[in-house]
Amino acid sequence: MNTIDSSLSPRDASPSRGPSRAVKAEDHALGRVPESWRKSGWELSKSTVGIATALVIFAIGGFAVILSGFTWGLVAGGAVAVLGAVLSILVGRISYAEGVSATVASRFYGFGFKGSSLATVIFGFMILGFLALENALLYEGTLLMFSWQDTWATRILLYGLMSVAWILLAVFGMNLALRSSMFLTATTVLLATYTIWALYFQGDARFADVFSTAGAVPGGAWPKFEAAFALMGGTAGTIALLIADFARYAKSQKDVVILGVVGPIAQNFLMVVAGALVIVGGLPAVASFLMARDSGLDAQAAAAAASGFAMGNTGAFFVVATSWLGFVTIYAAQAKAQVINTYSGSLSLSNLVDVLGNKRPGRVVMVVLGNIIALLMIGAGILQHFSSYLGYLGAMTLSFVGVMIADFYWVRRGERADARAENVNWAGIVSVMLASAAGIWLIATGVMPLGFMVSLAIAFALYPGLRLSVLPEGRFTTYQTESRSLQEAI
């Protein structure tokens, strides 16, 4: 077997060599983050909290309560927060130790150099899917605000302007976006608080009605918990992989823990409460608005349409409650998240092009490509398949996370990878594909709405079994022999 030059190992891309100008410009997209760039967990959490207060998270939290009621929606949110925190800390420690993103770390843990392209496709599907979903939600809210029709002209105008804004911010204003993340998050919280005040103190909404709502899912505790967990649980792998990308900037393992706990709590617990207050409390107001706009709607049809807005036009609840302030709220909530989505998507695409084509076109090109892919996903109707997307996404991301965790903590016993990487780690590839397929099949056929949890269990158990028996290191593959440093790989 050949061994690769030690310069490929992320541990050897030390800051003492002095990062190249290209790497600095690319925010170490494929290289190790130097010590001088490291930050505290609380500071890094600003970005994950910013993601957690995005419009799509309002939609998930509010719709979970519509389905399961406030009590079981909150219980499920707490359970997903715990799951997400555990996975985030475990995967985050890997990225922290190597100083690279999750997709780059997957070259050494679970997938192999070229095999990491599968991990990259999963991550890219995840992050660009959220970029597409959130663009679509902004589009629908903007149409409602200005009473515009959904035409090709409005699509080209609005989606074009949004895409240009995210591209420019991700390329030229990433530091500005990160620095203003807390400001935008605080603005979102303040405007959302005002929306709640308008609904409950100026409107007819009552807190008691929200907190006592039983939800649309019939039956006892388990069906309600299952419905809410099925909606929110698939995002546990999502937040873990996003946090891993930020964990590479952490100063210490303690900061990784802080980062890993704050994001999932904000996303899966606090946003269930906020989503319930805005969306469940705003249902009557949106229904009245729809009846006033369309005289042909009766009360029952308007109520059904308002419920559909929970996942299909979440911005409507802010716009109806506070008009222009609500419109500003949805864009404040999205701006910070969309820049991060664009940035993270470009990282995954950079890794994909690097390992498959040995090309380094630069992250600017990847930022533009990521937004084009998001537009194609919108055109394919991703918003109409919101719930299904979350379940399938969960099956894939949790399989990805399960293999990386199993490789680092079980197979390697917490030891970092040496200075060589297989081109393909077949144990990881087979485990992810089988685990993902099983989970997606269970969800698609309705056999088990929590199929993504089965994916996590299969990946975590199958990978060590294959790696330590029929598909050990080096079987049916070669080693990456190209001598180049990750620090130089842009």
Side-chain angles (χ1 to χ4, degrees):
M1 293 184 295
N2 296 320
T3 59
I4 64 170
D5 187 278
S6 62
S7 62
L8 182 62
S9 175
R11 72 174 65 186
D12 294 322
S14 67
S16 62
R17 300 179 185 178
S20 67
R21 182 176 302 174
V23 172
K24 286 183 178 179
E26 295 294 336
D27 297 332
H28 305 275
L30 297 176
R32 180 175 171 81
V33 175
E35 294 299 323
S36 61
W37 285 50
R38 302 287 178 139
K39 302 178 184 296
S40 72
W42 293 112
E43 187 172 358
L44 292 171
S45 295
K46 296 175 184 178
S47 296
T48 54
V49 171
I51 294 170
T53 53
L55 201 57
V56 69
I57 307 301
F58 270 103
I60 294 171
F63 196 63
V65 173
I66 289 176
L67 288 175
S68 304
F70 184 81
T71 299
W72 287 108
L74 197 61
V75 170
V80 176
V82 172
L83 175 65
V86 171
L87 296 177
S88 296
I89 293 169
L90 292 176
V91 181
R93 287 184 62 189
I94 301 173
S95 287
Y96 160 75
E98 299 295 359
V100 296
S101 65
T103 48
V104 175
S106 71
R107 299 179 181 186
F108 299 89
Y109 301 101
F111 291 84
F113 186 81
K114 291 190 179 298
S116 69
S117 58
L118 176 61
T120 302
V121 168
I122 291 172
F123 190 93
F125 175 73
M126 172 193 82
I127 202 69
L128 296 177
F130 275 104
L131 178 65
L133 280 171
E134 290 165 4
N135 275 351
L137 289 174
L138 279 179
Y139 175 80
E140 295 294 337
T142 304
L143 292 186
L144 185 77
M145 177 67 203
F146 296 104
S147 299
W148 289 347
Q149 297 298 313
D150 178 22
T151 65
W152 276 107
T154 54
R155 292 179 186 180
I156 293 171
L157 173 65
L158 295 180
Y159 285 128
L161 288 175
M162 284 187 279
S163 298
V164 169
W166 313 146
I167 290 169
L168 292 177
L169 283 171
V171 172
F172 300 109
M174 188 65 192
N175 288 334
L176 173 64
L178 291 175
R179 289 170 186 166
S180 63
S181 180
M182 279 309 295
F183 171 76
L184 290 172
T185 300
T187 300
T188 302
V189 171
L190 289 173
L191 291 173
T193 301
Y194 178 75
T195 299
I196 292 170
W197 183 83
L199 287 169
Y200 291 85
F201 294 97
Q202 289 186 317
D204 298 325
R206 299 195 311 162
F207 290 108
D209 292 339
V210 175
F211 297 147
S212 63
T213 183
V217 174
W222 174 251
K224 294 180 181 297
F225 175 84
E226 182 183 46
F229 195 94
L231 183 64
M232 293 186 284
T235 63
T238 301
I239 193 69
L241 293 174
L242 286 173
I243 285 175
D245 271 0
F246 288 102
R248 65 197 178 110
Y249 290 98
K251 288 183 177 180
S252 67
Q253 291 194 22
K254 178 182 177 181
D255 293 308
V256 175
V257 173
I258 293 170
L259 179 62
V261 169
V262 171
I265 289 177
Q267 176 174 304
N268 298 295
F269 193 79
L270 298 180
M271 289 304 290
V272 170
V273 177
L277 291 175
V278 172
I279 294 176
V280 178
L283 284 172
V286 172
S288 297
F289 172 84
L290 294 175
M291 289 178 66
R293 194 177 66 172
D294 185 354
S295 58
L297 285 178
D298 58 21
Q300 185 176 2
S307 294
F309 273 20
M311 292 283 272
N313 190 355
T314 315
F317 294 86
F318 293 93
V319 170
V320 168
T322 56
S323 188
W324 276 100
L325 280 176
F327 182 68
V328 172
T329 300
I330 64 176
Y331 273 88
Q334 288 309 105
K336 56 193 181 329
Q338 291 297 70
V339 175
I340 294 171
N341 286 339
T342 299
Y343 170 73
S344 294
S346 71
L347 291 181
S348 66
L349 291 173
S350 295
N351 184 64
L352 183 64
V353 173
D354 184 54
V355 298
L356 290 184
N358 194 25
K359 302 291 184 182
R360 302 156 202 162
R363 193 163 52 80
V364 174
V365 176
M366 297 298 100
V367 164
V368 175
L369 178 60
N371 276 270
I372 292 173
I373 293 172
L375 291 174
L376 293 175
M377 295 174 83
I378 293 170
I382 189 171
L383 188 59
Q384 287 70 46
H385 303 284
F386 197 160
S387 296
S388 299
Y389 168 78
L390 292 176
Y392 302 156
L393 174 68
M396 292 184 286
T397 56
L398 288 171
S399 298
F400 179 170
V401 167
V403 163
M404 284 194 70
I405 291 173
D407 188 54
F408 184 79
Y409 295 97
W410 190 340
V411 174
R412 299 180 187 272
R413 305 295 182 184
E415 295 291 329
R416 291 173 61 189
D418 60 19
R420 64 180 185 177
E422 298 163 281
N423 269 310
V424 180
N425 180 337
W426 287 110
I429 299 299
V430 171
S431 296
V432 168
M433 293 183 69
L434 290 179
S436 298
I440 291 172
W441 179 80
L442 290 171
I443 295 168
T445 57
V447 173
M448 188 177 183
L450 305 185
F452 50 80
M453 293 300 294
V454 175
S455 293
L456 176 62
I458 290 175
F460 189 72
L462 182 59
Y463 176 78
L466 293 176
R467 189 66 163 172
L468 299 174
S469 59
V470 295
L471 292 173
E473 181 178 344
R475 179 157 294 177
F476 304 129
T477 188
T478 58
Y479 284 81
Q480 174 64 27
T481 57
E482 183 182 12
S483 176
R484 60 184 172 85
S485 170
L486 279 174
Q487 194 179 28
E488 299 169 352
I490 299 299

